[in-house]
Amino acid sequence: MRVKAQMTMVMNLDKCIGCHTCSVTCKQVWTNREGVEYAWFNNVETRPGVGYPRGYEDQNKWKGGWNLTASGGLQLAAGGRLTKAAKIFGSPDTPEIADYYEPWTYEYDKLLSSPLGQLTPVARPTSLITGEDTKITWGAAWDDNLGGSASTMANDPILKSMSTHVRAEFESAFMFYLPRICEHCLNPACVASCPSGAMYKREEDGIVLVDQDRCRGWRLCVAGCPYKKIYFNHASGKAEKCTLCFPRIEAGQPTVCSETCTGRLRYLGLVFYDADRVSQAAAVKKTDLYQAQRDLFLDPNDPEVVAAARRDGIPQDWIDAAQKSPVWRLISEYEVALPLHPEFRTVPMVWYIPPLSPMVDVVAQSGSDGEDGKTLFAAISQMRIPLEYLAGLFTAGDTRPVEKSLRRLAAMRSGMREVALGNEMPAEIPAAVGMTDTQLVAMHRLLGIAKQAERYVIPPSHAESAQGRDYECPVPDGMMPGRATAGPVPVTVGRKPE
Ligand code: SF4
Ligand code: SF4
């Protein structure tokens, strides 16, 4: 067992109102510069929908992430070293600007400085890339709130894999928002794809960064990332990505998207994982991926894990923080948070609590009590459309973990209603979902009313622990197409050393 710490995020989708505040504040801080006008390190998608860039989840088209080889190992879906080398000057698997959208501005000055005339002046859109007039045909949140989805929803890669009947029914059945940032994966395909060794995963907290000095703009990381969370800056010629606001994290502060989230739905904390088992967990069969990736996490309260963490150089205040981590509780103790597309095999580290509210709404609209435990439990099991869709997003198609998570959320809702009415929580409610009433109350506190200090447990960085240590990519030798050897990548805070 080799213990490592990872800064991890959980988002509670029940509370996302799709206001895009997180996207806008992130953009203001990180991508408000020439060359990244089209880049959204944080974006919020309406689901069902095609997402951003368009249809990014369709790996038959983009060949991002990892595939299982015939011998049970992992290989980049884009191919091995020779295949990648052959495509280095023009990868057909990289999204074009039209797949994101052509950024534009308006001729605002015309509104202010046009001479007096009969007609009201008009500010026409101009391309931020060419400076010419442009026609706006697509944007980062084009199908927001299902707008225009009658024509675009059919291109949702998850819906495509469901039946025609489901596709026809879906728009009236279910809708929710999915905020996305870089997943800061444990097995990052972007790092493995980079021919220049510019991409790296920080030793101390697992944040994935691009060394701007080393980046040569090959863009193989853009193709390699199945979540399409790396952006090419056409002005600087370098790749850029979400940094998990590392300067803030190092100071013990939450990311900008978390701090400004109006729904207070983001949680940040450390998880410990066994670095020796990452590639193994990424290489199990599809239906076992969720469980294998969850099993990677180590219980920070287990004395054996604590001793191993000390042995592996993790400072005591980080161990304390891991023991208080809200993320650990939501993923491993309550088992309500699930990974996004574990089938991409990058072992993502931003997990999601699936939305229950749309189901409650359907039950309430049918005239039944939407907060009643028994009614809700039955509805969750019967509503196959959202269950299958959520499983397509979070558990590689296995509906059981999704159902378990939703049932636990339903139990919390109906149990806490009894408490709010001044009654005892009926013993059968927590028992029906394999929890205790104390756990349900604690989960309600964390999901419903927790203050900032409980939602973000971020120990300040130890500069000394970041120096002179190596990150060893879990992918075996010979599978890293960009590097002559798959040896350790040296890491320091913020900038990769020579
Ligand atoms: S989600 Fe982030 S860490 Fe994972 S492969 Fe993409 S860019 Fe890399
Ligand atoms: S700020 Fe929060 S509530 Fe608003 S879209 Fe972003 S994640 Fe959702």
Side-chain angles (χ1 to χ4, degrees), residues 79 158 181 276 383:
I158 299 173
I181 61 170
D276 285 337
M383 291 170 74

Side-chain angles (χ1 to χ4, degrees), residues 15-23 44 179 257 260-263 265-266:
K15 297 172 84 178
C16 181
I17 57 171
C19 65
H20 298 266
T21 307
C22 48
S23 303
V44 183
C257 56
T260 59
C261 173
T262 50
L265 59 91
R266 295 178 186 233

Side-chain angles (χ1 to χ4, degrees), residues 10-56:
V10 166
M11 299 194 217
N12 181 3
L13 297 184
D14 246 340
K15 297 172 84 178
C16 181
I17 57 171
C19 65
H20 298 266
T21 307
C22 48
S23 303
V24 172
T25 50
C26 170
K27 188 148 195 67
Q28 278 300 107
V29 173
W30 295 113
T31 61
N32 192 10
R33 289 170 288 107
E34 192 189 354
V36 275
E37 300 90 349
Y38 75 102
W40 295 87
F41 290 177
N42 181 108
N43 74 296
V44 183
E45 300 164 4
T46 296
R47 303 314 300 250
V50 292
Y52 161 78
R54 265 185 263 201
Y56 69 93

